[in-house]
Amino acid sequence: MILTVLADNRTVSFAFFDEGQEKATPLSTFCIAALPARTADEYAALLDMMAARGHFHGVNTVIIASVVPPLTSALCRAVHLLYGEIPTLTVGAGLRSGLTLRTDTPADLGADLVAMAVGAATLQKPPFLVLHCGDVTTLSAVDAGKDAPVYLGCAILPGAALCAKTLKEEAALLSTVALAKPPHAIGKNTGDSVRAGVLVGHAAAIDRLIADFEAEMGKKNLPVIATGEEAELVLPLLAHHTQKEEALAHKGLYHLALLNAKKGKKAP
């Protein structure tokens, strides 16, 4: 069994996969808060509890994608506390990705972006775009290459919920607004005005980025693979068609684990 771990500034999510699947489908996923004060012992205890609840035993490989270095070390220690010295891979320099990275500094590319691009490449032949809608929204461009998909780069912008939170914090007269699809672009009250500005405006920004990506890549009507916890809010407002995929980064991590296991890759 393969355990995949995805960590960002807000959450740590886990997924269990049976080895040998042609189509990567997690048996189960769960998510916990990424608290700065949480220790490796606590992460190990929580992981053990969740694994026991799902009767997930026999984990022999773990792969971690983290954009928070202190979390990476704590999670690696937690895995070793729970499972012993099994191969524990971390996405970063030295790990085969199956992608050609054409960014200025490939070593600085976020592990989550790599995982999502790999996951999308198992579902869609390049060229394509990968859209993640979360606290941070990212749009990545992946082109066809001679030997492997080519990761060209990405755009990063604040997510819809983060924009709404910033409005509340910086504008004294605006109250907290629950995000939902606004009835109109022209808001008739404060709540609908904020929803229209944040969500319709966010969707418009993404649509513009998609159009600019296509122009710069010299392509038209590129497939867009979308994922993320805010996707349900944003995708219905987009002019461009998207294909929504759950647990895209975890599916990519599963394939990265298989790729590096085949090559005899050991834990960094």
Side-chain angles (χ1 to χ4, degrees):
M1 186 169 290
I2 293 175
L3 171 64
T4 62
V5 185
L6 183 66
D8 59 30
N9 288 290
R10 193 171 62 89
T11 62
V12 181
S13 59
F14 304 84
F16 293 90
F17 292 84
D18 266 335
E19 283 188 84
Q21 297 182 68
E22 286 188 17
K23 184 177 180 181
T25 303
L27 299 172
S28 180
T29 61
F30 65 92
C31 184
I32 61 175
L35 302 178
R38 185 165 279 161
T39 66
D41 290 319
E42 290 175 293
Y43 282 116
L46 288 168
L47 177 55
D48 189 31
M49 179 178 66
M50 296 299 180
R53 187 177 69 178
H55 304 288
F56 300 124
H57 306 293
V59 172
N60 53 43
T61 302
V62 178
I63 183 165
I64 299 171
S66 170
V67 297
V68 187
L71 268 181
T72 310
S73 56
L75 289 168
C76 285
R77 290 197 302 273
V79 166
H80 291 153
L81 284 170
L82 194 55
Y83 298 116
E85 296 299 320
I86 63 172
T88 306
L89 310 171
T90 53
V91 179
L95 193 82
R96 289 173 54 88
S97 67
L99 302 172
T100 299
L101 304 181
R102 288 202 183 148
T103 58
D104 291 341
T105 51
D108 292 342
L109 185 62
D112 55 342
L113 297 177
V114 173
M116 286 186 286
V118 171
T122 67
L123 303 169
Q124 174 68 52
K125 184 178 178 181
F128 57 78
L129 306 179
V130 184
L131 173 64
H132 176 262
C133 299
D135 281 349
V136 174
T137 294
T138 60
L139 183 68
S140 297
V142 180
D143 207 348
K146 182 178 179 181
D147 301 313
V150 179
Y151 186 94
L152 298 177
C154 72
I156 303 172
L157 62 157
L162 182 58
C163 290
K165 179 182 177 183
T166 302
L167 271 177
K168 167 64 175 67
E169 292 174 349
E170 299 298 329
L173 293 179
L174 293 180
S175 58
T176 300
V177 172
L179 289 182
K181 184 178 178 180
H184 307 284
I186 302 175
K188 300 296 186 180
N189 55 67
T190 301
D192 283 346
S193 297
V194 170
R195 293 182 188 97
V198 169
L199 290 176
V200 177
H202 196 66
I206 294 170
D207 276 326
R208 172 59 186 270
L209 285 171
I210 291 173
D212 285 357
F213 274 39
E214 290 178 336
E216 292 180 17
M217 294 171 69
K219 314 288 184 182
K220 291 184 178 180
N221 301 317
L222 284 174
V224 181
I225 314 300
T227 191
E229 62 271 20
E230 292 184 8
E232 296 291 347
L233 287 172
V234 177
L235 299 189
L237 300 173
L238 293 180
H240 289 83
H241 174 73
T242 63
Q243 173 186 336
K244 187 173 183 293
E245 289 291 334
E246 301 289 346
L248 184 64
H250 284 287
K251 293 174 182 178
L253 289 174
Y254 168 77
H255 284 284
L256 285 171
L258 293 181
L259 174 64
N260 286 276
K262 289 177 182 176
K263 298 298 179 181
K265 185 71 182 178
K266 299 298 182 183

